[in-house]
Amino acid sequence: MRREDTAFALASAPGRAGVALIRVSGPAAEFCVKALTRKQIPPPRRAEIRFLKDQAGAVIDRGLVLWFASPASLTGEDVAEFHVHGGRAIVDAVAAALAAIPGVRPAEPGEFTRRAVENGKLDLTQAEAIADLVDAETEAQRRQAVRQYDGALGTLYETWRSDLMKALAWAEAAIDFSDEDLPGDVLADARRVAEDVRDAVTAHLNDARRGELVREGLFVAVIGPPNAGKSSLVNALAGRDVAIVSETAGTTRDVIEVRLDLGGYAVVLADTAGLRAAGSEVEAEGVRRALARAEAADLVLLLRDGSEPDLPIYMPNKLVNKPCIIVWNKVDLAWPEAQDGLCLSLKTGEGLEAVINAIAAEARKQLESPGEAPALTRVRHRQALTEAAEHLARAASAEAQELFAEDLRLAVRAIGRITGRVDVEDLLDVVFRDFCIGK
Ligand SMILES: Nc1nc2c(ncn2[C@@H]2O[C@H](COP(=O)(O)OP(=O)(O)OP(=O)(O)O)[C@@H](O)[C@H]2O)c(=O)[nH]1
Ligand SMILES: [Mg+2]
């Protein structure tokens, strides 16, 4: 679907900077270049230095102008780029000059990526990958997003979808024609393919949410008895004072979260209230929140006080099977006799590196894919694949050929929704609500 209107947006970050990039996409892009430069468009993909002028002909700035002719452009439409000096007044003046041109308006959040999807330049998983790339804060997030942008995930899902479409064609042939007219047992072939895809989808779904965890971060709860140094540890890892540290046992009440990059992985670290039979109602609520957070965490860091080794640890049974790192703190005061964990002194810094390494190692274990297959990265994909797997399970037990074919058809549709091959109009709003790049 070709759009009639032309949109422009500041593609670089707003504010003062060396350079600002203003992008224009749509049928009037060529006219925009001519209007602002009073010259013909430059040859495609070749930067030219031009004066940019306002309506009255006054020079706004001198900058680079680039031209990308449809369809070989970011959006698939005619695209022009103006690289100007990154001052607010310059960007405002260029925007005003563009907005004055009939049929040209500011773009909506994510509109250029959306146009790229509408024009078949990107599938939906690639559009989502662009949002992830812009948001990537850690190496693992960047690697995963680049891979998805490269089409790894889209290709995987499209392969499953085309396999299922082939099986569906066989199943429909088996319904429409008699056995004698068909080569071999096409229905058995169709069932085998459907089963193979179902196995692959199920394995992909059972990946312990690796891809999603890379995006969202591994949740780590720091728990332990009061005064063990939990808040001190969170501050040391965060490199700033996020939580109050005091010698009064029972200082921390609420759960305090910090997002960190540990060894290239996103980690959400939570400081919690010290676990003990609480003295007050507020403290009891703190303990309840601490335990709830520990239960929901992907990793528990149990911090114990080396100078008080006899303090009971209050670990509910539910937490026993959680991945857990035990750390004995305050070894500057007393070295623990127990050999069940790492030794740390937040006062001297001894052992801190080992604690960081242990968390990073656990993050790597939980987040890194063991094989080559790309990981599932979004709840939206998980929902569609779960639905596809359910249809394939039903197909496997369907006796009647018509029911088998119908379930295959529904599975094909569910997978097609991930890449936007079907129902793309309905999906665009959902996908683009999440991100606003290319404003
Ligand atoms: N000597 C010594 N003192 C420490 C060390 N780590 C923390 N402390 C001190 O221990 C006290 C308690 O530290 P916090 O970080 O507030 O302990 P917490 O576990 O968060 O305590 P609650 O929030 O009350 O559960 C503070 O006075 C810290 O300065 C350490 O390695 N050695
Ligand atoms: Mg604390």
Side-chain angles (χ1 to χ4, degrees):
M1 85 206 76
R2 289 274 151 185
R3 295 211 187 195
E4 301 288 307
D5 53 350
T6 296
F8 70 87
L10 178 66
S12 49
R16 201 167 159 270
V19 177
L21 165 56
I22 297 150
R23 203 176 257 150
V24 185
S25 179
E30 180 171 348
F31 187 79
C32 290
V33 174
K34 288 178 178 166
L36 265 70
T37 65
R38 308 288 202 271
K39 285 185 175 171
Q40 291 299 316
I41 46 168
R45 295 159 180 274
R46 283 244 306 273
E48 282 196 1
I49 295 184
R50 299 260 179 102
F51 282 107
L52 303 184
K53 296 177 179 168
D54 65 15
Q55 277 170 294
V59 172
I60 300 170
D61 190 15
R62 210 164 89 149
L64 288 181
V65 178
L66 277 117
W67 173 251
F68 302 88
S70 168
S73 74
L74 178 85
T75 57
E77 303 171 327
D78 280 346
V79 169
E81 285 184 5
F82 300 101
H83 299 232
V84 293
H85 294 101
R88 281 177 199 275
I90 298 170
V91 172
D92 288 349
V94 172
L98 289 169
I101 299 168
V104 180
R105 59 164 175 81
E108 282 163 22
E111 183 170 344
F112 288 165
T113 313
R114 185 175 179 139
R115 288 181 180 224
V117 173
E118 287 171 353
N119 293 324
K121 298 294 284 190
L122 300 172
D123 73 31
L124 278 184
T125 64
Q126 289 173 309
E128 287 167 330
I130 293 181
D132 287 352
L133 255 181
V134 175
D135 286 337
E137 287 173 344
T138 67
E139 264 301 290
Q141 289 171 334
R142 185 192 60 71
R143 276 200 305 271
Q144 178 164 288
V146 164
R147 204 156 170 220
Q148 186 170 327
Y149 180 55
D150 212 29
L153 211 50
T155 306
L156 179 70
Y157 297 154
E158 276 306 306
T159 309
W160 289 339
R161 199 174 75 97
S162 71
D163 284 354
L164 289 178
M165 288 202 298
K166 201 164 57 188
L168 180 59
W170 290 341
E172 282 171 343
I175 294 169
D176 293 344
F177 301 99
S178 65
D179 287 352
E180 300 89 70
D181 296 335
L182 294 171
D185 189 347
V186 287
L187 197 60
D189 289 346
R191 283 190 182 274
R192 200 169 42 246
V193 169
E195 222 135 279
D196 287 350
V197 173
R198 182 183 160 204
D199 289 347
V201 170
T202 309
H204 187 67
L205 282 169
N206 291 340
D207 69 344
R209 296 181 59 243
R210 280 174 206 283
E212 289 150 284
L213 283 180
V214 167
R215 283 186 68 233
E216 294 157 17
L218 188 83
F219 270 71
V220 181
V222 180
I223 62 168
N227 234 11
K230 300 179 295 302
S231 301
S232 307
L233 176 61
V234 169
N235 288 347
L237 292 174
R240 59 199 163 97
D241 275 345
V242 283
I244 299 173
V245 167
S246 101
E247 58 198 17
T248 313
T251 299
T252 305
R253 300 292 171 84
D254 264 333
V255 175
I256 297 172
E257 277 186 0
V258 270
R259 275 188 82 83
L260 302 175
D261 175 345
L262 278 191
Y265 296 95
V267 168
V268 183
L269 197 66
D271 181 22
T272 64
L275 303 176
R276 67 173 173 185
S280 72
E281 223 172 89
V282 178
E283 194 182 354
E285 175 60 19
V287 170
R288 199 192 60 72
R289 290 183 185 195
L291 292 174
R293 172 49 59 96
E295 266 173 49
D298 304 302
L299 170 68
V300 167
L301 196 150
L302 175 63
L303 193 67
R304 302 196 59 182
D305 189 335
S307 67
E308 303 255 19
D310 300 328
L311 269 186
I313 48 164
Y314 184 71
M315 274 276 265
N317 281 341
K318 281 186 205 157
L319 295 182
V320 169
N321 290 326
K322 272 254 161 220
C324 179
I325 298 172
I326 299 173
V327 179
W328 288 91
N329 187 32
K330 304 195 188 179
V331 294
D332 53 290
L333 297 178
W335 208 263
E337 281 174 21
Q339 295 295 313
D340 60 348
L342 300 169
C343 291
L344 172 70
S345 166
L346 287 164
K347 193 167 178 190
T348 66
E350 184 181 355
L352 187 61
E353 195 69 31
V355 172
I356 294 174
N357 291 341
I359 301 173
E362 185 62 31
R364 192 174 313 117
K365 196 168 123 198
Q366 291 199 37
L367 306 189
E368 212 153 74
S369 297
E372 276 303 294
L376 200 161
T377 53
R378 284 183 187 245
V379 175
R380 187 180 77 80
H381 308 171
R382 183 171 290 283
Q383 283 168 342
L385 288 173
T386 306
E387 196 184 315
E390 281 164 10
H391 291 306
L392 291 174
R394 275 230 311 264
S397 58
E399 296 282 339
Q401 293 175 13
E402 285 80 4
L403 290 181
F404 172 68
E406 180 57 18
D407 278 322
L408 279 194
R409 205 170 291 123
L410 291 170
V412 166
R413 193 176 185 85
I415 295 178
R417 281 211 311 272
I418 305 178
T419 49
R421 285 303 177 98
V422 295
D423 301 340
V424 71
E425 285 297 309
D426 302 339
L427 286 163
L428 281 172
D429 284 336
V430 177
V431 170
F432 285 91
R433 200 177 46 212
D434 279 1
F435 64 95
C436 44
I437 47 169
K439 281 195 286 276

